[in-house]
């Protein structure tokens, strides 16, 4: 069971969300939208109302949700909407409305939106318009005018989801460690679809930044490689002129104001922030100079064959370093592989990416042979790239 928290801003954020939940969806995928639970048990339900004008009932529901926000007037917060889709796994049984209602109550309680027994908590509703998921919509002002205490609500909701899975016999997901990369939003997916792209800008940039990290030996080289791949880079500098961070954009990817859509490295993935990249670039000591340089393909193959031994016999730090190095290898190999193998290698890199991120500090010094040999392969003259390696 996967919950995902989305925050909404603006004076009409609640009304827009209600309109979406009771509308046809982007591809007419919403069927039989109806309320399964609410803060008071008798909120107006546009999906089950005999009222002839659906919009009037949607207005009424949004107005009731927003009443505590409107009471604050100019003191109302900018972010007023808490939206949490909760989706079951494809192999899970179809749950009843009563089961989804109980799930919604547990989720809002865990998040701090509506703790059990708190009559002054935020107002919320849970709407179901498909067999496998619900949407919880809440306003971020309690009925007593205070803000809800939702400290670490993302982690709390995930923990509760794991408990719900066990209680209902649903597919059990592994607890997260907070290092997963942020997934593209629905708006980003729709934008990519409108532009005829199979991949969102966020995913394209994440792949190119990961490749630049894997290919570079220095910070200067990292930024140079990024720009060489067609990425626009905007460094973030401090008062002293030093670079503190960076943002990236794809040429031609613009917002409604005609401005580039920027992504900071840390929003692409936690391990792509500039401090984390600097650590990776400096954590590997240079290889000793050899009188007769070895063949890089043979070196990479031998180093890769030793990875299982490191995973089972080495420390956690060494094991994580091996996973990071293998992920970098998968990132770079598509650049030097024959066209027939490129698609599969790119898919492997995307699937393996999650294993390269962990709260365990990676020992990258133990991976210098693999990392340096793959970088050497990348720099090999094009004439030798015939797929034999």
């Amino acid at each position: 069971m996967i919950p995902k928290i989305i925050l909404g801003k603006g004076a009409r954020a609640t009304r827009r969300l209600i309109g979406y939940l009771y509308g046809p969806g982007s591809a007419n995928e919403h069927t039989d939208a109806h309320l399964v639970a609410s803060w008071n048990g008798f909120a107006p339900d546009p999906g089950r109302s005999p009222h002839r004008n659906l919009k009037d009932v949607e207005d009424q529901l949004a107005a009731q949700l927003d009443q505590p926000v409107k009471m604050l007037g100019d003191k109302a917060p900018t972010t007023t909407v808490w939206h949490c889709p909760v989706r079951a796994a494809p192999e899970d049984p179809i749950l009843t409305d009563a089961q989804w209602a109980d799930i919604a109550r547990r989720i809002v309680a865990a998040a701090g939106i509506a703790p059990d027994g708190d009559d002054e908590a935020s107002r919320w509703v849970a709407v179901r318009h498909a067999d496998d998921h619900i949407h919880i919509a809440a306003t971020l002002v309690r009925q007593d005018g205070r803000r809800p205490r939702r400290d670490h609500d993302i982690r709390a909701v995930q923990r509760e989801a794991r408990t719900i899975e066990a209680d209902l016999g649903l597919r059990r997901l592994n607890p997260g460690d907070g290092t997963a990369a942020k997934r593209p939003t629905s708006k980003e997916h729709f934008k990519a679809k409108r532009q005829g792209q199979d991949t969102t800008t966020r995913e394209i940039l994440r792949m190119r930044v990961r490749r630049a990290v894997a290919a570079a030996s220095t910070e200067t080289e990292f930024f140079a490689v990024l720009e060489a791949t067609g990425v626009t880079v905007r460094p973030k500098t401090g008062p002293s002129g030093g670079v503190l961070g960076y943002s990236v954009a794809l040429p031609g990817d613009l917002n409604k104001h005609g401005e580039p859509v920027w992504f900071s490295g840390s929003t692409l993935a936690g391990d792509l922030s500039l401090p984390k990249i600097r650590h990776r670039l400096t954590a590997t000591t240079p290889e000793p100079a050899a009188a007769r340089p070895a063949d890089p393909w043979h070196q990479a193959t031998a180093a890769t064959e030793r990875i299982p031994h490191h995973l089972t016999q080495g420390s956690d730090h060494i094991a994580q370093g091996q996973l990071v190095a293998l992920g970098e290898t998968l990132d770079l190999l598509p650049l030097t592989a024959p066209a027939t193998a490129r698609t599969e290698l790119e898919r492997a890199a995307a699937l393996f990416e999650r294993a390269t991120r962990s709260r365990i500090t990676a020992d990258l010094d133990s991976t210098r042979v693999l990392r340096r040999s793959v970088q050497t392969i990348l720099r090999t003259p094009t004439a030798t790239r015939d797929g034999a390696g």
Side-chain angles (χ1 to χ4, degrees):
M1 179 164 289
I2 303 174
K4 179 182 179 182
I5 295 175
I6 307 163
L7 301 180
K9 298 181 180 181
R12 289 182 53 80
T14 303
R15 182 63 185 86
R16 287 196 301 270
L17 178 56
I18 294 301
Y20 166 74
L21 296 181
Y22 281 96
S26 59
N28 295 313
E29 73 273 23
H30 296 178
T31 59
D32 190 27
H34 60 281
L35 220 62
V36 295
S38 67
W39 78 95
N40 58 6
F42 50 85
D45 181 7
R48 292 289 185 268
S49 174
H51 200 291
R52 290 185 178 181
N53 191 334
L54 175 64
K55 299 298 182 184
D56 288 346
V57 187
E58 291 179 0
D59 289 341
Q60 183 183 3
L61 177 57
Q64 289 192 18
L65 285 167
D66 266 343
Q67 187 178 18
V69 179
K70 301 298 183 185
M71 292 281 289
L72 293 182
D74 294 340
K75 296 181 179 179
T78 302
T79 302
T80 58
V81 173
W82 188 88
H83 175 204
C84 182
V86 186
R87 186 178 299 273
E91 64 268 31
D92 284 338
I94 296 177
L95 303 176
T96 65
D97 280 358
Q99 288 174 311
W100 277 119
D102 181 61
I103 289 170
R105 294 186 189 97
R106 292 175 66 170
I107 291 293
V108 293
I113 294 294
D116 292 333
D118 188 347
D119 295 334
E120 298 297 323
S122 296
R123 297 185 175 188
W124 61 274
V125 294
V127 178
R128 181 181 188 179
H129 48 49
D131 287 339
D132 64 347
H133 71 280
I134 60 171
H135 289 257
I136 304 172
T139 43
L140 290 174
V141 175
R142 291 165 47 89
Q143 295 181 78
D144 57 12
R146 296 183 292 129
R147 300 296 302 275
R149 295 187 62 179
R150 50 184 193 90
D151 300 335
H152 308 294
D153 56 349
I154 296 176
R155 295 183 187 177
V157 164
Q158 292 293 342
R159 284 196 300 269
E160 186 62 26
R162 303 294 82 77
T163 305
I164 292 171
E165 291 162 358
D167 292 345
L168 297 184
L170 306 178
R171 178 185 174 186
R172 304 287 293 276
L173 300 182
N174 293 325
D177 62 1
T179 63
K182 183 178 179 180
R183 296 182 178 182
T185 65
S186 58
K187 289 183 179 180
E188 291 171 11
H189 279 298
F190 294 147
K191 183 177 181 180
K193 188 176 181 180
R194 289 196 307 270
Q195 296 174 342
Q197 299 175 181
D198 295 329
T199 309
T200 65
T201 298
R202 180 187 299 274
E203 293 167 308
I204 294 171
L205 287 171
R206 183 158 55 223
M207 178 189 68
R208 293 190 185 181
V209 173
R210 283 177 59 84
R211 283 180 174 173
V213 175
S217 300
T218 66
E219 184 177 329
T220 301
E221 189 177 7
F222 162 68
F223 286 121
V225 171
L226 259 186
E227 292 176 343
T229 61
V231 174
T232 304
V233 181
R234 183 177 65 181
K236 177 184 177 182
T237 57
S240 63
V243 179
L244 304 178
Y246 71 100
S247 297
V248 289
L250 284 182
D253 183 45
L254 309 175
N255 60 23
K256 62 182 180 182
H257 304 295
E259 302 165 337
V261 179
W262 295 98
F263 294 84
S264 67
S266 59
T267 60
L268 295 177
D271 61 338
L272 297 181
S273 67
L274 188 57
K276 294 289 182 65
I277 290 173
R278 282 172 172 162
H279 173 73
R280 285 170 68 170
L281 294 175
T282 59
T284 306
T285 58
E287 269 194 277
R292 184 178 179 184
D295 179 273
W297 283 103
H298 292 167
Q299 283 187 316
T301 302
T304 304
E305 289 174 342
R306 287 194 295 271
I307 289 178
H309 172 79
H310 290 301
L311 294 180
T312 57
Q313 303 298 322
S315 69
D316 288 347
H317 302 288
I318 289 177
Q320 187 59 36
Q322 298 295 319
L323 296 176
V324 170
L326 182 55
E328 290 183 348
T329 302
L330 292 172
D331 289 332
L332 292 179
L333 281 181
L335 300 178
T336 192
T340 53
R342 201 166 296 149
T343 300
E344 291 300 317
L345 284 169
E346 289 177 345
R347 184 181 302 174
L351 291 173
F352 194 75
E353 180 189 5
R354 182 65 186 93
T356 66
R357 293 190 302 274
S358 170
R359 294 197 178 275
I360 298 171
T361 302
D363 179 355
L364 296 177
D365 198 46
S366 64
T367 68
R368 63 180 182 273
V369 174
L370 178 57
R371 298 174 79 219
R372 297 297 187 230
S373 59
V374 173
Q375 288 179 348
T376 303
I377 290 170
L378 188 65
R379 294 175 173 85
T380 301
T382 307
T384 65
R385 296 180 186 176
D386 58 357

